[in-house]
Amino acid sequence: MMISKELLLTYFYLLVYIVLSSGVILYNKWVLSPKYFNFPLPITLTMIHMGFSGLVAFFLIRVFKVVLPVKMTLEIYATCVIPISAFFAASLWFGNTAYLFISVAFIQMLKALMPVATFFMAVICGTDKLRCDVFLNMFLVSVGVVISSYGEIHFNVVGTVYQVTGIFAEALRLVLTQVLLQKKGLTLNPITSLYYIAPCSFVFLFIPWYLLEKPEMEVTQIQFNFWIFFSNALCALALNFSIFLVIGRTGAVTIRVAGVLKDWILISLSTLIFPESTITTLNITGYAIALCGVVMYNYLKIKEVRASQLPVDTMLDRTAKELKMEKKSSHLYLPDDNADLGGNSTKSDSSDPMVDEEAPLIPSTRISHLGRSNLSS
């Protein structure tokens, strides 16, 4: 049986996403770690990513006209973009700082807490309800992460606090994105997201950089290699576009599965590339328990969204059948079966509903439980 070109292209996009996602994380660890490239300035590295991403987005929108800018008012920018950018900057800052203290493998295990943080932030903000089944899944994830942390040989309190704080900052950013931008009816694609959010995040990062890292750069001789930082920022930017391509061809469900596969690959690779990333049996056991909770939670969310879409799909199918029968009986001209009375196609209703509800555009205008942004993580 021959595999179609479309399917091969989809698998290629998934492979690119897994390679880039793993590569960016390992690359950041190598750059920041004092044992390797020795550039222990996570805020500076994040600012380089933000500045590069914002500059590329500016050229794509204003110079090459690849996409059109959205209608951004001062009110929307002040009430939506600024707070979202603040938490986005914080999540990247704390997440990248964690690389200085804990291993890549342990960081990936801690990231299993992302659905827990996002769920509780959504409950606090009123966008989700506290349900027993979801709460039990979140409890299972938390227990798994605690077991994994207990089994960590090189456990570091500071690094763990940084990573967990970054996770909750990203969770709040995702919830605020849903609450603020979607209520305004504003939809941003990856390019327009970077165009508006990256420069604002750069400004927020400038404040802690000036207070914490600028004095260190003045007294310590820091090596700066243009090609290292350029390639690092380019990989981070390419990762965001790869996520957009995968979501466009498959959906959030597929990228979640790919994300789980990527995490296991990344944990295995990190132990080979970085000898200090030693993992124990207790690490793996705890992470497996947490992963079971994440998978169950994702299943519940997918089932919930599809159930809410089912009455609409049933109604459309029924309407299409009635129109078809009427068309046969009367031999009169009627609109096409796949179009509504206004002439708009309804085919898109049958697409995966998770794409609309949970697609992780980076930074996204949709709430996501996949994990934190990959711009600098």
Side-chain angles (χ1 to χ4, degrees):
M1 186 177 70
M2 294 184 64
I3 302 176
S4 66
K5 290 183 179 179
E6 291 294 321
L7 189 60
L8 283 174
L9 194 59
T10 300
Y11 283 133
F12 175 73
Y13 285 157
L14 283 170
L15 179 63
V16 169
Y17 158 71
I18 291 173
V19 170
L20 284 174
S21 182
S22 303
V24 167
I25 292 172
L26 295 172
Y27 204 168
N28 283 354
K29 173 67 175 179
W30 181 81
V31 169
L32 292 168
S33 178
K35 296 182 180 180
Y36 300 99
F37 186 71
N38 192 23
F39 188 80
L41 303 172
I43 305 176
T44 306
L45 182 66
T46 308
M47 288 177 70
I48 292 172
H49 289 185
M50 292 294 97
F52 181 76
S53 299
L55 188 64
V56 170
F58 175 83
F59 276 98
L60 291 176
I61 291 176
R62 294 297 181 182
V63 179
F64 299 108
K65 310 290 184 182
V66 175
V67 293
L68 295 175
V70 299
K71 293 181 179 179
M72 180 67 66
T73 64
L74 183 61
E75 178 195 0
I76 293 176
Y77 194 87
T79 59
C80 298
V81 175
I82 289 179
I84 289 170
S85 300
F87 285 104
F88 185 53
S91 68
L92 296 178
W93 167 22
F94 294 134
N96 280 337
T97 304
Y99 287 119
L100 298 176
F101 303 96
I102 54 181
S103 67
V104 171
F106 186 48
I107 285 174
Q108 293 307 117
M109 294 175 189
L110 288 175
K111 284 181 182 179
L113 283 173
M114 190 65 209
V116 180
T118 307
F119 172 69
F120 282 110
M121 287 298 176
V123 170
I124 292 171
C125 294
T127 61
D128 207 341
K129 294 180 180 180
L130 187 61
R131 304 200 318 266
C132 183
D133 54 351
V134 177
F135 180 79
L136 289 175
N137 285 333
M138 298 301 98
F139 179 75
L140 184 64
V141 172
S142 302
V143 169
V145 172
V146 169
I147 293 173
S148 181
S149 301
Y150 184 77
E152 176 64 17
I153 295 176
H154 305 292
F155 182 81
N156 184 284
V157 176
V158 176
T160 303
V161 170
Y162 267 118
Q163 182 59 43
V164 173
T165 305
I167 288 171
F168 275 88
E170 173 66 3
L172 188 54
R173 196 272 300 179
L174 291 169
V175 175
L176 283 177
T177 299
Q178 186 185 46
V179 172
L180 299 177
L181 283 185
Q182 289 184 3
K183 281 189 176 180
K184 298 288 185 180
L186 189 66
T187 301
L188 303 178
N189 61 44
I191 299 176
T192 52
S193 294
L194 293 174
Y195 178 73
Y196 291 109
I197 294 177
C200 192
S201 297
F202 182 92
V203 173
F204 277 110
L205 288 167
F206 180 81
I207 300 170
W209 174 82
Y210 187 82
L211 297 174
L212 300 175
E213 293 190 358
K214 182 177 179 293
E216 184 179 349
M217 294 176 72
E218 291 175 348
V219 298
T220 308
Q221 189 173 1
I222 302 295
Q223 59 173 329
F224 188 91
N225 186 310
F226 171 80
W227 293 109
I228 292 290
F229 291 105
F230 174 74
S231 60
N232 183 259
L234 189 63
C235 288
L237 182 66
L239 172 59
N240 290 279
F241 291 131
S242 73
I243 293 174
F244 176 69
L245 289 173
V246 171
I247 285 291
R249 296 192 66 87
T250 58
V253 179
T254 303
I255 203 171
R256 281 177 175 178
V257 176
V260 172
L261 177 62
K262 180 263 297 181
D263 288 340
W264 284 109
I265 292 174
L266 190 54
I267 290 171
S268 303
L269 281 176
S270 65
T271 58
L272 296 175
I273 298 173
F274 306 111
E276 68 274 14
S277 297
T278 306
I279 56 176
T280 64
T281 304
L282 205 55
N283 276 145
I284 296 298
T285 303
Y287 184 60
I289 294 172
L291 205 58
C292 288
V294 172
V295 170
M296 290 170 63
Y297 173 70
N298 286 341
Y299 171 75
L300 287 175
K301 295 297 290 184
I302 294 167
K303 187 177 179 181
E304 178 185 333
V305 173
R306 285 181 173 170
S308 66
Q309 294 288 330
L310 187 60
V312 178
D313 294 338
T314 304
M315 184 176 64
L316 288 170
D317 292 340
R318 188 182 303 158
T319 303
K321 288 179 181 178
E322 289 175 357
L323 286 172
K324 193 171 183 179
M325 290 179 64
E326 185 178 350
K327 188 175 180 181
K328 284 182 178 180
S329 61
S330 63
H331 301 288
L332 294 175
Y333 172 78
L334 288 173
D336 186 77
D337 297 337
N338 290 322
D340 60 17
L341 294 178
N344 297 319
S345 174
T346 60
K347 290 181 181 179
S348 59
D349 294 325
S350 63
S351 62
D352 187 357
M354 295 303 298
V355 175
D356 292 328
E357 293 294 328
E358 316 241 323
L361 304 183
I362 309 296
S364 176
T365 59
R366 305 293 183 191
I367 190 166
S368 169
H369 305 288
L370 290 172
R372 55 188 301 280
S373 168
N374 291 300
L375 261 171
S376 304
S377 62

